[in-house]
Amino acid sequence: TGDLAFAMAERGAQTTGLDFSQEMLFQAKEKAKNKQSLVSFDLPNFQQGDASELPFENDTFEVVTMAYGLRNLKDWKKGLSELHRVTRPGGRMLILDFGKPPNPVWRSIYFNYLKLIVPLMGWSLAGDAEAYQYILTSLQHFPAQRGIESEMIRLNSRLVRTHLFMGGVMSLNMGIKSQT
């Protein structure tokens, strides 16, 4: 719904937000309309597109981010490759997503929470348990933070780092696109 794009724009970045979902874009554009007269920064430009086939030229952006989306792509490696492609040499890629805690006990507790508690909360708060079950399903076939890290290195990114939050429940993968 544009939250990441708005946060970057507030800090002075000229920002483009892209989403596959028309509903998400509608919400982001509504937020922009509501903020338009209240802010002193350039609002993000929002457009529809597929992260697996980004509608941008090579080496377009200084910083490329994705939050909670890579694991939802049909081919996460292709999506990461596209993010890398549109990042300028020397530019940064930042990927925030759910992770797989490295500690097996914590991972088991977390996955059981996703399996049992999160759908129950989804059912009780939104009337839709199924909509919240997908998080666990999407994580089960996703290599998470270490897979992203390895793929960023394979793509020839440098200074690749991974920060774990909440013991690996979430992670932030960061890398810089090599100059060559």
Side-chain angles (χ1 to χ4, degrees), residues 90-94 149 152-153 156-163 172-179:
R92 287 177 264 170
M93 294 190 314
L94 305 157
E149 188 177 79
M152 288 175 95
I153 291 167
N156 201 25
S157 296
R158 59 186 177 84
L159 299 176
V160 174
R161 299 185 318 275
T162 302
H163 289 288
L172 177 63
N173 290 89
M174 301 172 286
I176 297 175
K177 185 174 179 177
S178 293
Q179 297 286 349

Side-chain angles (χ1 to χ4, degrees), residues 41-91:
F41 56 86
D42 290 336
L43 290 168
N45 171 43
F46 292 105
Q47 64 184 78
Q48 186 175 23
D50 185 343
S52 297
E53 297 179 28
L54 291 170
F56 307 112
E57 298 293 321
N58 294 350
D59 307 329
T60 299
F61 299 101
E62 186 64 33
V63 177
V64 175
T65 66
M66 181 180 277
Y68 303 108
L70 196 60
R71 76 183 187 293
N72 295 318
L73 299 179
K74 184 176 177 182
D75 181 347
W76 71 269
K77 285 183 178 181
K78 184 175 182 188
L80 188 60
S81 179
E82 278 292 281
L83 296 176
H84 185 266
R85 179 185 67 78
V86 301
T87 304
R88 289 182 186 153

Side-chain angles (χ1 to χ4, degrees), residues 107-148:
R107 183 174 46 246
S108 177
I109 292 168
Y110 172 54
F111 278 19
N112 279 310
Y113 169 79
L114 290 174
K115 181 180 180 180
L116 303 170
I117 305 300
V118 170
L120 182 61
M121 290 171 52
W123 175 78
S124 66
L125 298 174
D128 188 359
E130 247 181 73
Y132 295 87
Q133 289 172 329
Y134 93 94
I135 297 171
L136 177 60
T137 304
S138 68
L139 271 174
Q140 288 173 329
H141 304 290
F142 182 61
Q145 60 268 29
R146 297 304 171 212
I148 296 169

Side-chain angles (χ1 to χ4, degrees), residues 96-109:
L96 177 66
D97 216 318
F98 290 108
K100 291 183 178 176
N103 179 298
V105 173
W106 180 232
R107 183 174 46 246
S108 177
I109 292 168

